[in-house]
């Protein structure tokens, strides 16, 4: 019989794309362990976004599991302009120029140099001689040596230091340059409006450089949110060197953080990226914020039905660091083996978590900021971890109407599942990003005893525990009121919890 140890505590995120954009495949992905679907706003139309969201919601309903949806904003990604068919091959030492006006590269030259345009004409002003310019995720590298012309005819002059073929719309990275353009583009604002209108659960903000970028988006979402609802959670993507200079403030204001290793690995010294990843994870744990590790985790599974040993170790190490979630991008969006990719990641997660259960000293620590705050619910959640360890409990069970109590429990990186019940589907979807939290939909009980009886039925029916197993129940009274979590209770599954009848005794304590 499966038990609570079969539940994967680390959340797995899958990107929806052509390889999995049908209901049956998305249901399979949920069955294999997906708890959040990602919609990449960099690719596709609003009609395609709507179809992906509808499929994700439909798959969640069919699978009988709450599943969150994360919209990933494009941000100010700089790209090469149009290039002639077949591309242009650049050799080491070749002169290359970038101009403001759009052109089709290959149909014009400038004094023998290859001439390109970009999607950001302002680049010509911001980039200075002596700075580096990378194309196609760093596969092609150039050094800026001069500027030519003036005014609208001003051009950036570069020498190629590592060659290759340049094709249309390949990305440009500027690791030494502080671009002055805003972090949130006009297209991003339109996508944010779409996300609010369609009830997306999380928005990832790309190319964050400072905390004010995150605050700007959060204020906008707060203003757009209907009265009484919860604003979309904002996930700050760390992929720019400038973000590391303001990391404390960014983590503090964001609702969560993504370690976006793609652009980060291009703009930073590659040898530093693993260190940066650990630093970000640790800081998120200090602030009690969910953290996602993303990009190329099982990259080889785009084309092959199995990963490399190094990729398996990469996923496991993120889990050993107690990241809340690991993410699949091209593996599920365009890969040949989307279901196998999720299955493989879940198996790696299960093995890594089994190791952590037997090495409690390696588990994450309670958030530093919450230890300092002495907040009641946070203190209660920390106490749960001690009781769980002493009792050998199979699960922690809580009523968390808006998800706050579940978040505090998740911060303590328990080695057993946190079963979080709520009658609010939107809150359940947001809990899907929290480490260790398994959200379940439940009608609000009239009395606490009814909640415990209902929980007994759930855990037995789902095979999470057997009669007589110890569980820890965390709740508040009255049940379902945010901010009143105040009770920790040891319970043995199957104990009868009689619902007390109304008493006619004016002094019931006299009995």
């Amino acid at each position: 019989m499966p038990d609570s140890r079969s539940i994967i505590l680390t959340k797995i995120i899958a990107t929806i794309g052509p390889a999995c954009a049908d209901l049956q495949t998305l249901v399979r992905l949920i069955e294999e362990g997906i708890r959040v679907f990602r919609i990449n706003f960099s690719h596709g139309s609003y009609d395609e976004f709507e179809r992906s969201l509808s499929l994700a919601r439909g798959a969640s309903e069919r699978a009988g599991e709450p599943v969150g949806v994360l919209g990933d904003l494009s941000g100010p990604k700089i790209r090469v302009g149009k290039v002639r068919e077949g591309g242009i091959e650049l050799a080491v030492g070749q002169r290359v120029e970038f101009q403001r006006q759009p052109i089709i590269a290959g149909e014009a030259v400038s004094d023998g140099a290859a001439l390109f345009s970009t999607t950001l004409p302002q680049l010509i002003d911001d980039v200075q001689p002596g700075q580096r310019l990378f194309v196609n995720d760093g596969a092609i590298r150039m050094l800026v040596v001069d500027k030519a012309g003036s005014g609208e005819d001003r051009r950036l002059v570069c020498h190629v230091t590592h060659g290759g073929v340049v094709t249309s719309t390949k990305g440009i990275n500027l690791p030494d340059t502080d671009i002055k353009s805003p972090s949130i583009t006009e297209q991003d604002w339109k996508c944010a409006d779409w996300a609010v209108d369609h009830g997306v659960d999380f928005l990832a903000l790309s190319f964050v450089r400072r905390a004010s970028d995150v605050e700007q988006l959060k204020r906008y979402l707060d203003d757009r949110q209907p009265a009484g609802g919860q604003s979309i959670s904002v996930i700050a993507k760390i992929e720019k060197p400038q973000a590391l200079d303001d990391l404390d403030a960014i983590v503090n204001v964001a609702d969560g953080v993504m370690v976006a290793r793609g652009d980060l690995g291009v703009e930073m010294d590659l040898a530093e990226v693993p260190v940066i990843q650990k630093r970000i994870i640790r800081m998120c744990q200090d602030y009690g914020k969910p953290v996602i590790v993303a990009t190329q985790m099982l990259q080889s599974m785009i084309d092959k039905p199995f990963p490399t040993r190094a990729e398996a170790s990469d996923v496991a190490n993120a889990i050993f660091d107690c990241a809340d979630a690991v993410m699949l991008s091209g593996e599920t969006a365009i890969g040949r083996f989307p279901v196998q990719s999720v299955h493989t990641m879940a198996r790696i997660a299960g093995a890594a978590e089994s190791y952590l259960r037997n090495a409690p000293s390696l588990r994450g620590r309670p958030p530093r900021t919450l230890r300092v705050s002495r907040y009641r619910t946070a203190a209660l959640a920390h106490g749960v971890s001690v009781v769980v360890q002493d009792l050998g409990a199979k699960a922690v069970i809580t009523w968390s109407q808006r998800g706050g109590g579940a978040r505090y429990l998740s911060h303590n990186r328990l080695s057993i599942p946190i079963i979080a019940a709520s009658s609010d589907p939107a809150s359940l979807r947001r809990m899907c990003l929290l480490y260790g939290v398994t959200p379940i939909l439940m009608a609000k009980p009239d009395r606490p005893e009814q909640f415990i009886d209902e929980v007994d039925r759930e855990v037995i029916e789902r095979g999470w525990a057997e009669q007589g197993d110890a569980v820890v129940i965390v709740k508040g009274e009255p049940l379902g009121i945010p901010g009143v979590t105040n009770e920790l209770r040891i319970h043995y599954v199957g104990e009868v919890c009689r619902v007390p009848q109304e008493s006619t005794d004016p002094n019931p304590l006299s009995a």
Side-chain angles (χ1 to χ4, degrees):
M1 171 184 283
D3 62 17
S4 62
R5 293 193 174 201
S6 66
I7 298 175
I8 301 300
L9 305 179
T10 308
K11 299 310 175 76
I12 304 176
I13 303 172
T15 303
I16 298 178
C20 64
D22 64 87
L23 187 62
Q24 182 178 358
T25 302
L26 294 188
V27 171
R28 289 282 309 280
L29 296 187
I30 295 171
E31 291 171 346
E32 292 292 345
I34 290 302
R35 290 300 175 263
V36 177
F37 284 118
R38 169 178 174 251
I39 298 175
N40 188 355
F41 290 138
S42 296
H43 305 288
S45 64
Y46 290 111
D47 286 343
E48 290 170 310
F49 302 154
E50 189 157 357
R51 181 173 182 271
S52 294
L53 179 62
S54 177
L55 284 170
R57 296 287 191 241
S60 171
E61 184 175 355
R62 180 170 294 188
E65 293 285 351
V67 176
V69 173
L70 182 151
D72 198 336
L73 299 173
S74 305
K77 181 72 173 177
I78 308 169
R79 299 184 183 276
V80 173
K82 291 185 178 180
V83 178
R84 72 184 179 196
E85 189 174 349
I88 298 174
E89 185 165 2
L90 302 178
V92 174
Q94 185 173 351
R95 178 183 167 112
V96 174
E97 294 186 4
F98 291 88
Q99 69 171 42
R100 297 183 195 276
Q101 294 80 15
I103 59 165
I104 299 177
E107 296 184 358
V109 294
S110 173
D111 298 327
L115 188 61
F116 295 88
S117 60
T118 75
T119 57
L120 184 69
Q122 178 188 328
L123 170 150
I124 310 301
D125 300 316
D126 291 344
V127 181
Q128 302 302 321
Q131 296 179 343
R132 294 169 295 168
L133 186 152
F134 297 160
V135 177
N136 192 18
D137 290 334
I140 301 163
R141 301 187 171 217
M142 308 178 200
L143 180 67
V144 180
V145 297
D146 199 1
K147 293 189 180 184
S150 61
E152 288 301 307
D153 295 326
R154 197 160 177 77
R155 302 183 303 282
L156 210 58
V157 182
C158 309
H159 282 175
V160 177
T161 59
H162 190 89
V165 178
V166 180
T167 57
S168 296
T169 70
K170 288 299 181 184
I172 293 175
N173 289 93
L174 301 162
D176 306 319
T177 306
D178 187 8
I179 295 293
K180 303 299 190 297
S181 62
S183 292
I184 308 175
T185 67
E186 288 302 317
Q187 179 62 23
D188 290 337
W189 292 122
K190 293 176 182 177
C191 288
D193 286 336
W194 184 92
V196 172
D197 293 340
H198 289 80
V200 170
D201 306 296
F202 312 95
L203 268 182
L205 179 58
S206 297
F207 303 109
V208 172
R209 287 173 289 190
R210 54 190 68 87
S212 58
D213 299 334
V214 180
E215 291 173 319
Q216 183 183 18
L217 179 58
K218 290 189 71 172
R219 283 194 300 269
Y220 184 81
L221 295 174
D222 286 344
D223 291 342
R224 289 277 283 105
Q225 182 62 39
Q230 295 186 65
S231 291
I232 297 175
S233 297
V234 174
I235 309 298
K237 293 174 67 176
I238 307 300
E239 51 195 331
K240 299 288 289 182
Q242 295 89 342
L244 298 175
D245 296 331
D246 201 28
L247 188 59
D248 257 296
I250 291 171
V251 174
N252 186 34
V253 301
D255 298 307
V257 171
M258 183 187 295
V259 189
R261 303 179 304 177
D263 282 278
L264 189 62
V266 175
E267 302 220 358
M268 300 289 295
D269 179 359
L270 196 61
E272 293 292 326
V273 173
V275 178
I276 293 168
Q277 175 176 314
K278 286 184 177 291
R279 177 187 166 198
I280 295 170
I281 292 173
R282 178 57 64 89
M283 187 171 291
C284 288
Q285 290 170 351
D286 274 344
Y287 280 92
K289 301 297 177 72
V291 57
I292 303 162
V293 178
T295 318
Q296 297 181 331
M297 301 214 78
L298 297 177
Q299 181 78 359
S300 63
M301 291 195 73
I302 290 177
D303 300 307
K304 298 178 181 178
F306 44 81
T308 66
R309 278 73 169 170
E311 288 168 342
S313 295
D314 180 40
V315 174
N317 276 312
I319 292 167
F320 291 151
D321 288 339
C322 290
D324 289 80
V326 287
M327 192 173 94
L328 296 167
S329 300
E331 299 95 330
T332 53
I334 59 172
R336 295 171 57 196
F337 305 100
V339 176
Q340 291 94 320
S341 296
V342 178
H343 177 76
T344 298
M345 184 166 270
R347 286 185 59 218
I348 296 168
E353 290 171 7
S354 178
Y355 173 76
L356 285 176
R357 274 195 292 271
N358 298 313
S361 63
L362 299 180
R363 303 198 68 80
R365 59 189 181 185
R368 171 176 53 85
T369 53
L370 295 180
R371 293 201 304 270
V372 171
S373 74
R374 304 286 196 274
Y375 188 62
R376 178 182 63 189
T377 305
L380 188 66
H382 179 50
V384 169
S385 63
V386 178
V387 175
V388 162
Q389 187 173 346
D390 291 347
L391 196 64
K394 286 294 185 74
V396 174
I397 299 164
T398 186
W399 182 275
S400 188
Q401 183 65 17
R402 300 289 291 270
R407 282 194 296 274
Y408 287 122
L409 289 166
S410 173
H411 294 160
N412 288 279
R413 294 301 190 261
L414 304 177
S415 60
I416 59 174
I418 301 158
I419 312 301
S422 174
S423 61
D424 180 9
S427 293
L428 292 172
R429 294 195 300 267
R430 295 182 190 208
M431 295 183 216
C432 288
L433 192 58
L434 301 176
Y435 183 91
V437 175
T438 297
I440 59 173
L441 181 65
M442 185 183 293
K444 183 180 174 183
D446 293 329
R447 296 176 181 273
E449 292 81 4
Q450 289 179 335
F451 169 56
I452 296 172
D453 284 343
E454 184 63 31
V455 161
D456 273 3
R457 284 191 289 271
E458 286 279 351
V459 298
I460 291 173
E461 287 176 6
R462 296 181 186 234
W464 292 337
E466 297 180 355
Q467 190 152 346
D469 284 340
V471 297
V472 176
I473 294 177
V474 181
K475 60 182 178 63
E477 292 188 25
L479 202 67
I481 304 299
V484 297
T485 303
N486 55 14
E487 180 184 334
L488 185 157
R489 174 172 178 172
I490 297 170
H491 173 69
Y492 293 90
V493 174
E495 284 183 337
V496 177
C497 294
R498 301 291 184 191
V499 178
Q501 301 298 314
E502 293 290 341
S503 173
T504 56
D505 188 343
N507 186 15
L509 296 180
S510 64

